[in-house]
Structures are given as C-alpha cells and as structure tokens.
Amino acid sequence: MPKISELFFRSAILFLIVGIGLGLQMSISQNHNVIGAHAHINLLGWVTSAIFGGYYALNPAKATGLPPLVQYWVYTIGVVVMAISLYLVLTGNTALEPIVAGSSLLTFVGVLLFAWIVWMPAHPAVVAHPAE
Ligand code: HEM
Ligand code: HEM
C-alpha cells in the first residue's frame, strides 16, 4: 500500500477512536451538546480520510510525489484544528468561532487539492513503473 494511504488510514482510525469516544460520552452523559464535533470528526476525519487513503491505494500512479503529501497535511491539520475548536465552541467558548471558520476553509482547500490530484493526468513514468 502506498505510504500516503497508510498515513491517511493511521489518522482516520485515530479520528474514529476520538469520534466514537465523543459519541459514547454524549450517550452516557445524556447531554448531546457536541453533536457537530462528533459528526464531523467521524465523517471528515474517519470516513473522508479513509476514502482518500483508499483512492491512493487504488491509484498508485497518483500516490507519489509532493501533491498527495501536501494534500494530506493541509486536509488533516484542517480537520484536527476544526474538530478541537468546534468542540470548544460547542462547550461554550464561542470566541473560537473564527478558528472554526479558518480551519473549515483549510479543510476545504485540502478537498480542492484532492480534486486537482484526481483530475490531473498521472505522471507517465509512474504509470509505467508503479513503485508501490
Ligand atoms: C459507538 C459509536 C457511536 C456512538 C455511541 C454515537 C453516538 C451519537 C449520539 C449520542 C448522537 C446524538 C444523537 C442526537 O442527539 O440526535 C450522534 C449523532 C451522530 N452521529 Fe454518532 N455515535 C457513534 C458513532 C458514529 C459514527 C461512526 C458516525 C459516522 C461515521 C456517526 C455519525 C453521527 C452523525 C452524522 C450524527 C448526527 C446525526 C443528526 O444530525 O441527526 N456516529 N451519535
Ligand atoms: C469543512 C467542511 C464542512 C463544514 C464547514 C460543514 C459545516 C456544517 C454545518 C454548519 C452544519 C450544521 C450544524 C448545526 O446545525 O448545528 C453541518 C451539519 C452536518 N454536516 Fe457538515 N460541514 C462540512 C463537511 C461535511 C462532510 C464532508 C460531511 C459528510 C461526509 C458532513 C456531514 C454533515 C452532517 C451529517 C450534518 C448534520 C449533523 C450535525 O448537525 O452536525 N459535513 N455541517
């Protein structure tokens, strides 16, 4: 499996552990105050990261070089910061809303980079000799 897929799956499973942890905490406390953080940690963090990782595993020609690494870090840092700041906003720290907004936009940039990677032609040398 390409390294970039491994990276995406490593962070995806950490997001799932944290996301489920928040879901359990809401269920046990019977206080569903952080639904938004729970939903997006699971959906942006676990589901979407795993789809990105799966795509790179299915398309090794797109998995090498700088673009996937840049896409990984932009997207993952965006989701981590968004998750933490959204959790804090939903638990009363409303002053952090600009951080949620900024990190959401960073996450979106990560998605746009992925769109570019999907649409750009693969490097011919890598198509001929996939390294991983
Ligand atoms: C054991 C694991 C989980 C527990 C205990 C749990 C618990 C919860 C709870 C208590 C809520 C709030 C429900 C409400 O007040 O309406 C919720 C909402 C939600 N959860 Fe989970 N959850 C779990 C796993 C997941 C996973 C894996 C995903 C996604 C892949 C997910 C996605 C969502 C979404 C999207 C909502 C919002 C639904 C809505 O807007 O009505 N959850 N969850
Ligand atoms: C940066 C990207 C995203 C932003 C800024 C965003 C923003 C939002 C906002 C503002 C809400 C309404 C929350 C509320 O009424 O309390 C929402 C709800 C929701 N979003 Fe997203 N979203 C993003 C990505 C996604 C993705 C990729 C998915 C699915 C794969 C998703 C699934 C949901 C679901 C299921 C809900 C309803 C559950 C909830 O209330 O949290 N979102 N989102």
Side-chain angles (χ1 to χ4, degrees):
M1 183 157 80
K3 268 191 201 121
I4 192 72
S5 300
E6 194 71 48
L7 269 180
F8 267 117
F9 274 95
R10 282 186 184 184
S11 37
I13 191 58
L14 297 181
F15 283 122
L16 182 61
I17 291 168
V18 174
I20 287 185
L22 268 189
L24 289 169
Q25 181 244 309
M26 284 195 292
S27 308
I28 294 163
S29 66
Q30 296 188 357
N31 179 0
H32 296 184
N33 57 338
V34 290
I35 295 178
H38 164 76
H40 291 88
I41 289 171
N42 280 320
L43 294 171
L44 283 167
W46 162 244
V47 178
T48 307
S49 299
I51 292 172
F52 289 154
Y55 173 82
Y56 288 120
L58 290 168
N59 296 270
K62 296 287 182 75
T64 54
L66 203 55
L69 262 187
V70 174
Q71 191 254 327
Y72 171 80
W73 285 109
V74 168
Y75 180 81
T76 306
I77 290 171
V79 178
V80 167
V81 175
M82 182 185 168
I84 296 170
S85 55
L86 182 55
Y87 176 87
L88 292 172
V89 164
L90 294 176
T91 50
N93 302 278
T94 46
L96 293 178
E97 260 167 26
I99 312 267
V100 178
S103 52
S104 299
L105 291 173
L106 189 65
T107 302
F108 187 45
V109 171
V111 169
L112 294 178
L113 282 171
F114 183 72
W116 173 66
I117 289 167
V118 167
W119 280 89
M120 74 175 180
H123 193 286
V126 185
V127 176
H129 309 285
E132 287 137 329

